[in-house]
Amino acid sequence: MTQSSVTGLERRLARRILETRGDPRLRIVLWNGEEIRCSDAPPIGRVVFRDRRLMPELLLHPELGLPEAYADGRLEIEGDLPTVLKLVLAAPVRRTPAKRARDAWELFRRRSKSLQRSRKNIHHHYDLGNDFYSLWLDERMAYTCAYFPRPTASLEDAQLAKMEHVSRKLWLRPGERVIEAGCGWGSLALHMARHHGVSVTAYNISEEQVAWARARAREQGLDQRVEYRLDDYRNVTGQYDAFVSVGMLEHVGDENYAALGRVIDRCLPTHGRGLIHSIGRVQRQPMDAWIERNIFPGSYSPTLPEVIGILSPHDLAVIDVENLRLHYEKTLEHWLERFEKHAAAVEKRFDPRFVRVWRLYLAGSIASFHVGNLQLWQTVFQRTRSRDLPWNRAHLYEAR
Amino acid sequence: MTQSSVTGLERRLARRILETRGDPRLRIVLWNGEEIRCSDAPPIGRVVFRDRRLMPELLLHPELGLPEAYADGRLEIEGDLPTVLKLVLAAPVRRTPAKRARDAWELFRRRSKSLQRSRKNIHHHYDLGNDFYSLWLDERMAYTCAYFPRPTASLEDAQLAKMEHVSRKLWLRPGERVIEAGCGWGSLALHMARHHGVSVTAYNISEEQVAWARARAREQGLDQRVEYRLDDYRNVTGQYDAFVSVGMLEHVGDENYAALGRVIDRCLPTHGRGLIHSIGRVQRQPMDAWIERNIFPGSYSPTLPEVIGILSPHDLAVIDVENLRLHYEKTLEHWLERFEKHAAAVEKRFDPRFVRVWRLYLAGSIASFHVGNLQLWQTVFQRTRSRDLPWNRAHLYEAR
């Protein structure tokens, strides 16, 4: 039997894989060029198996097998990558007892309360180099879900609109003090300081991001009102009028939610407000194993009750929740488009596998938000008894 | 010792009661006219004990003692009743182990999955007579939290605005079918049918309310598009584009949340949306014992995670949550003001105790929303994978 031959068993397995995906517009091309199809519907995408060893790998490790093979170049996807992945992900995952047991183990296994581990996890992703991120993020280096005033808005406008949307939800007033936990490259802190007259203390444990943010604050003459601290959110001290955290909770891990709750509690006086912006899921499940291994070690996307569970022990009431899932899909489409424009530069700096890993991560995230495997919630909260809140939400939608 | 004399122990107990309330602007007047004060601050209210037996009752049954004595007229409150109750409720309740154990027992004891018990509970409150409710509700007989476009809006305008706000959140389009669980006197169903061109099937187990609602639908020529069914929400059948429930969840009881979730699940196709409007609490605790006994038997105010827990097992994702706590306080202020205008008529129809019970319920509810013991959440949801949702929430705030 040569490498190029296909056995009857392999053919049946390929057909079985196609059938479990449930979409007749997907096809599989085997290593000998043979195409497996479930119907004659015009194909939207082809998954090309370059290597016969893929078959047992996909069966043994379904969640890791496909993305790893893609990253290695042993599996190719023909057609628009996000579109094909949407079809792949659209099939509902069966939550069998075995899957539940595996999920429970994964949720437990990855727990870590170590500050050092947090630094290592964050360094792994965010210290890949500001040069790298500046190739495909917007000019302000916002690496979280944007808010598109219209679906056709530019990424730059949408990131600006997100910062304004968050600032308005926090109901900031000039002279107030804001604490930001996990500030990325620091653009939200600068926006709040410049446009809402507040002073901001912003925490981040990524050295490269903090260096970049401090330079921007100095350039813009805001370094007296925005202080970036290279430190863990658990070390936050002081009292503030508002707490904000955009895209950090995903890295906190549910084992540290109680600690985060205590941080928020000691930060906020009676009139204090807060906002947590985070990717989430409707049902509790571990992070995708491949993403956790290759992209975001130590990460976890909470359910909305888990987010609220951070707050309620401290008498913090939910004021407003908004689901921006479709906005994250759109944000990621912009990022992937820009990434592809610079793929050659990225490959030169890193290697071909790195490009394929990131392409799959961005396209897979588009697909995950598209089919609703991931959600994005902005949760606004306040002390249960506080009356210092706007009468309604109309102010979020007034022309500036 | 005569009835009018006061012992040193009684005096110390009265002072102790005052101190636990923690507000120096409250005073206690004993049955002999003697005033107990903790400070010389100008008083905002006086609690008058007409009867020495009150003292042991308040110590033995703190939650039931005060309201029962007020209802019986053995305890009087001088000053503006809601204002005094705000001071009384502002003191934080200590969640001792004994209190937690009592709460757990109360939460368990009141569970009932019986349809007959639900009918009895609803009959107790809602079948007091449409004449009674029409004395102090708005003209459309909306008996749930209104939405005040401005704090100074009239109750009539605010109830209309609430119906429009809910309709917009449901993103109704002409020709769609809506299921309403717990429709009260039916005004929301009529509003949705008239202003949004939908047909509505509305369930309610209160005979008086359904009779009133059917008459209104006929009067307004909407009886072909709005059907009121005198039946339990658990008997809902059929598929609809949208599910709505305003102010019913409080009567469902958490023992029936799973059943409600299954009803919503079988009602809604892939593109379906839904809204649950309910009183809630930040931390799980039983209904106030006096309110449960005198006003709303079988009721329970859920936490927001409990509301979400109805939805998530069925792959329903939260799209939007809005906390309207201050609007319910305002609504109740209007109700109490109207109630007081007709107190003589109510007393004639019922009796003096009935008037005092309802006065305390309305004023106490104002105070509970004021201090944040109660919250009001509107929760909008949709199938996890649905993309049939508005791009953002700006449409809720557009001029009509």
Side-chain angles (χ1 to χ4, degrees), chain A residues 147-371:
Chain A
Y147 177 74
F148 291 80
R150 291 163 308 287
T152 53
S154 73
L155 180 61
E156 268 68 20
D157 285 352
Q159 290 294 6
L160 190 61
K162 186 259 305 285
M163 295 185 241
E164 183 60 18
H165 202 52
V166 166
S167 302
R168 290 184 181 200
K169 283 184 174 180
L170 286 167
W171 214 38
L172 300 178
R173 282 151 290 178
E176 288 194 326
R177 299 184 64 212
V178 179
I179 179 78
E180 183 177 10
C183 65
W185 282 276
S187 57
L188 174 62
L190 297 177
H191 180 91
M192 295 189 292
R194 183 183 304 113
H195 296 288
H196 296 271
V198 298
S199 64
V200 185
T201 308
Y203 279 67
N204 188 341
I205 52 175
S206 161
E207 294 189 20
E208 291 223 20
Q209 290 186 326
V210 166
W212 200 94
R214 285 177 178 159
R216 294 295 87 70
R218 277 193 302 274
E219 273 172 27
Q220 299 179 26
L222 288 167
D223 49 332
Q224 294 302 306
R225 286 204 284 134
V226 178
E227 182 192 353
Y228 296 104
R229 290 190 185 160
L230 184 66
D231 202 352
D232 193 279
Y233 66 92
R234 283 162 284 194
N235 294 329
V236 165
T237 53
Q239 285 233 320
Y240 303 86
D241 303 290
F243 170 95
V244 65
S245 179
V246 175
M248 182 187 78
L249 189 61
E250 298 89 327
H251 300 295
V252 165
D254 58 326
E255 65 275 22
N256 294 304
Y257 286 1
L260 175 60
R262 289 192 296 273
V263 168
I264 296 171
D265 184 45
R266 67 173 188 252
C267 278
L268 288 185
T270 309
H271 70 275
R273 294 90 58 198
L275 181 148
I276 292 176
H277 165 124
S278 174
I279 296 170
R281 287 186 194 267
V282 171
Q283 285 170 4
R284 178 168 165 82
Q285 56 187 292
M287 198 66 189
D288 176 88
W290 185 80
I291 292 282
E292 210 267 344
R293 180 183 293 189
N294 286 275
I295 306 287
F296 290 120
S299 62
Y300 171 67
S301 300
T303 66
L304 187 53
E306 286 176 321
V307 177
I308 300 168
I310 297 169
L311 309 168
S312 44
H314 305 287
D315 226 27
L316 293 162
V318 170
I319 299 305
D320 180 19
V321 177
E322 182 175 18
N323 190 330
L324 293 175
R325 179 187 131 220
L326 300 186
H327 292 253
Y328 217 158
E329 181 186 352
K330 179 70 69 185
T331 305
L332 282 151
E333 284 170 358
H334 282 273
W335 289 344
L336 180 60
E337 189 189 332
R338 292 174 184 214
F339 179 86
E340 292 296 2
K341 272 192 197 142
H342 299 286
V346 175
E347 184 170 322
K348 202 168 159 189
R349 179 171 169 168
F350 298 95
D351 57 51
R353 185 186 151 91
F354 184 92
V355 173
R356 293 176 69 88
V357 163
W358 276 74
R359 178 179 288 141
L360 186 62
Y361 149 56
L362 293 170
S365 300
I366 291 173
S368 289
F369 283 102
H370 183 93
V371 304

Side-chain angles (χ1 to χ4, degrees), chain B residues 80-93:
Chain B
D80 180 58
L81 185 58
T83 306
V84 175
L85 293 175
K86 285 173 201 172
L87 298 186
V88 170
L89 290 181
V93 175

Side-chain angles (χ1 to χ4, degrees), chain B residues 67-82:
Chain B
E68 276 301 310
Y70 179 85
D72 294 344
R74 297 186 295 130
L75 181 146
E76 201 54 80
I77 290 177
E78 293 176 2
D80 180 58
L81 185 58

Side-chain angles (χ1 to χ4, degrees), chain A residues 148 283 312 329 385 387 391, chain B residues 148 283 312 329 387 391:
Chain A
F148 291 80
Q283 285 170 4
S312 44
E329 181 186 352
R385 308 187 160 230
R387 301 177 58 77
W391 184 252
Chain B
F148 291 79
Q283 285 169 4
S312 43
E329 181 186 352
R387 302 177 57 77
W391 185 251

Side-chain angles (χ1 to χ4, degrees), chain B residues 7 141 232 304:
Chain B
T7 69
M141 302 278 272
D232 193 281
L304 187 51

Side-chain angles (χ1 to χ4, degrees), chain B residues 46-57:
Chain B
R46 283 187 181 84
V47 181
V48 183
F49 289 18
R50 298 207 182 286
D51 182 336
R52 76 175 339 137
R53 283 167 307 171
L54 274 175
M55 205 69 91
E57 284 171 29

Side-chain angles (χ1 to χ4, degrees), chain B residues 231-248:
Chain B
D231 202 351
D232 193 281
Y233 66 91
R234 284 162 284 194
N235 294 329
V236 165
T237 53
Q239 285 234 319
Y240 303 85
D241 303 290
F243 170 97
V244 65
S245 179
V246 175
M248 182 188 79

Side-chain angles (χ1 to χ4, degrees), chain B residues 8 19 76 216 344 356 375:
Chain B
E19 284 166 357
E76 201 54 80
R216 293 296 86 70
R356 293 176 69 87
Q375 313 280 327

